[in-house]
Amino acid sequence: MTTEDRKTFTREEILRILNDVGSYMVPEDTLKEWVYKKVLPPPTKQEILTELAWLESNDFVTGVNPEMGGPRKWRITDKGRTCVPR
Amino acid sequence: MRKPRSDSKLKTLPWERQEQLTDWLLAGVPYREIKERVEQEFEITTSDAALSDYWQEFCGPALIARRQKAVSLADEIAEEAASQPGRFDQATLDALKQKAFELAVNPTSDPRDVKGLFMLVLKARDQEMDRQQMEFEREKFRQGLKSDLEKAIDAFHAECMGNAAALQAWEKLRAAVLEKVDEAA
């Protein structure tokens, strides 16, 4: 798997996971753990965060900082839903 | 007779053992340790390749199933909370739903926490029903009290007929009594 393929696969897996849970927001740690378990060889936390940042900057996902503190939570956008791999 | 392949041995385990194996794999237990556990507890030997193969076939779908279960559980709690009109506002309902989901997906959370949240919603519903019952009983008492007093006042009124001063006193008494009844209720 090339680096580019790996990035794509990680992004697709993030979108797939967030799409699976509908309107719920997934805590960042849980999301990283789920992606880690699906992408082989497992990506590092930094790799996952990089792809999350890419998806957010392209409006495929939204990160929310909880008012009371704690880890960020992530939700898929309508644009992101249209790109979920079948 | 040909010896069964180690990966097919894993795939044909009874479901409760497959569940156990899936739990170990999803919990991130290293393959080395899983091989030892499989040998000790299931009395079969296995390999990294067989575990990897098993992972691909069983753990991906198990992860998806767990996510779906978490969503269903959170939806169920939210539906229960939403069925109590006026009890929770939309912001509280959304927060409750999200919390239930997070508890359900967190492998370190105690299943009792999810149950506790559900019980809290049910308790709120019971309290609302108790409140409505109390309100009903109070209204019944108020109506009963009023009608008994009204009967007594009407009887007194009949006796006062033809006496202007007595009728005036009756009017004052009636107003005072009804006011007290409303206050007491």
Side-chain angles (χ1 to χ4, degrees):
Chain A
M1 192 186 273
T2 66
T3 311
E4 214 44 47
D5 286 345
R6 189 174 161 76
K7 277 173 181 261
T8 307
F9 194 76
T10 304
R11 287 171 192 169
E12 286 181 350
E13 191 52 36
I14 292 171
L15 290 179
R16 204 177 280 126
I17 289 169
L18 294 179
N19 188 54
D20 276 356
V21 299
S23 60
Y24 292 103
M25 290 181 287
V26 180
E28 191 165 285
D29 291 345
T30 306
L31 182 60
K32 281 193 276 194
E33 195 191 314
W34 284 346
V35 174
Y36 180 86
K37 283 175 176 165
K38 266 321 280 292
V39 181
L40 289 172
T44 61
K45 283 182 181 174
Q46 192 49 52
E47 275 180 290
I48 298 171
L49 287 178
T50 303
E51 299 320 321
L52 267 172
W54 184 89
L55 287 167
E56 187 179 32
S57 65
N58 285 280
D59 200 25
F60 292 115
V61 300
T62 311
V64 177
N65 288 315
E67 286 172 20
M68 307 291 283
R72 287 189 99 189
K73 295 173 187 178
W74 294 89
R75 172 189 280 152
I76 194 167
T77 61
D78 290 340
K79 184 182 170 189
R81 282 190 206 286
T82 64
C83 301
V84 177
R86 301 285 164 213
Chain B
M1 196 171 140
R2 274 178 69 180
K3 194 178 165 194
R5 282 160 48 110
S6 61
D7 55 348
S8 65
K9 279 189 283 185
L10 294 179
K11 291 175 190 174
T12 54
L13 282 169
W15 73 267
E16 62 272 19
R17 289 193 165 180
Q18 281 189 345
E19 190 115 312
Q20 176 68 79
L21 180 56
T22 305
D23 278 348
W24 289 337
L25 286 162
L26 289 179
V29 178
Y31 277 9
R32 174 185 40 77
E33 197 177 324
I34 292 181
K35 282 191 285 182
E36 285 172 14
R37 292 187 189 180
V38 165
E39 193 166 353
Q40 281 171 9
E41 297 185 28
F42 305 163
E43 295 174 340
I44 56 173
T45 54
T46 190
S47 63
D48 285 358
L51 285 172
S52 174
D53 202 35
Y54 180 90
W55 171 276
Q56 294 297 328
E57 192 166 333
F58 291 86
C59 293
L63 263 180
I64 293 170
R66 284 179 188 192
R67 280 203 286 271
Q68 283 169 347
K69 200 173 164 189
V71 169
S72 307
L73 186 68
D75 283 348
E76 204 178 312
I77 291 177
E79 269 171 36
E80 187 59 52
S83 70
Q84 301 163 52
R87 189 76 193 173
F88 300 104
D89 59 26
Q90 194 54 46
T92 310
L93 271 178
D94 290 345
L96 195 65
K97 255 177 98 167
Q98 179 64 30
K99 189 69 197 165
F101 173 75
E102 287 176 28
L103 283 173
V105 297
N106 187 348
T108 60
S109 73
D110 190 330
R112 283 174 300 188
D113 291 343
V114 184
K115 194 182 166 200
L117 193 63
F118 194 63
M119 295 311 285
L120 205 66
V121 171
L122 290 179
K123 199 173 163 191
R125 187 190 62 179
D126 291 345
Q127 279 176 346
E128 174 62 14
M129 284 170 72
D130 287 350
R131 193 191 63 76
Q132 286 177 357
Q133 181 66 28
M134 259 173 67
E135 190 62 38
F136 174 73
E137 296 292 342
R138 194 173 160 189
E139 181 60 22
K140 218 166 90 178
F141 169 75
R142 198 175 71 89
Q143 290 299 335
L145 192 64
K146 204 168 182 176
S147 76
D148 285 349
L149 279 167
E150 272 172 351
K151 274 183 215 162
I153 291 169
D154 287 347
F156 182 47
H157 180 249
E159 286 181 25
C160 295
M161 291 301 279
N163 182 337
L167 272 175
Q168 204 176 8
W170 172 85
E171 283 291 350
K172 278 186 187 171
L173 175 70
R174 182 176 181 271
V177 167
L178 290 181
E179 193 184 342
K180 287 288 172 199
V181 169
D182 281 337
E183 275 176 21

